[in-house]
Amino acid sequence: LENGRYGILVSPGDVAAICNGILTLLDDYTAAAEMGLRAGARAKQLWDVGTIASNLIQLYGSLGDSRAR
């Protein structure tokens, strides 16, 4: 993940950073909307049912190939 590209990254439990991140997004609606669009597109790319199925087929195929050796 890239901070500022798909969202704002903060350390777990860092309340001040979470507050600052929220304020940053509230102050710049355009940047927040762009991050949201990029994050949505990235999620669709990574977690699309077809992508997951294809990855699983490749994984299972590679397991079969390694056992045949």
Side-chain angles (χ1 to χ4, degrees):
L1 292 176
E2 296 175 44
N3 187 38
R5 181 155 176 80
Y6 303 108
I8 296 177
L9 301 177
V10 298
S11 297
D14 189 342
V15 176
I18 293 169
C19 291
N20 287 335
I22 292 170
L23 290 174
T24 298
L25 295 174
L26 290 173
D27 285 342
D28 191 346
Y29 176 81
T30 301
E34 288 172 354
M35 277 190 261
L37 290 172
R38 281 192 298 269
R42 181 77 171 146
K44 286 180 185 177
Q45 177 187 23
L46 293 174
W47 306 114
D48 174 73
V49 172
T51 301
I52 292 172
S54 176
N55 289 341
L56 284 173
I57 290 168
Q58 288 178 350
L59 173 64
Y60 291 145
S62 71
L63 292 175
D65 292 343
S66 66
R67 290 181 185 206
R69 294 179 200 176

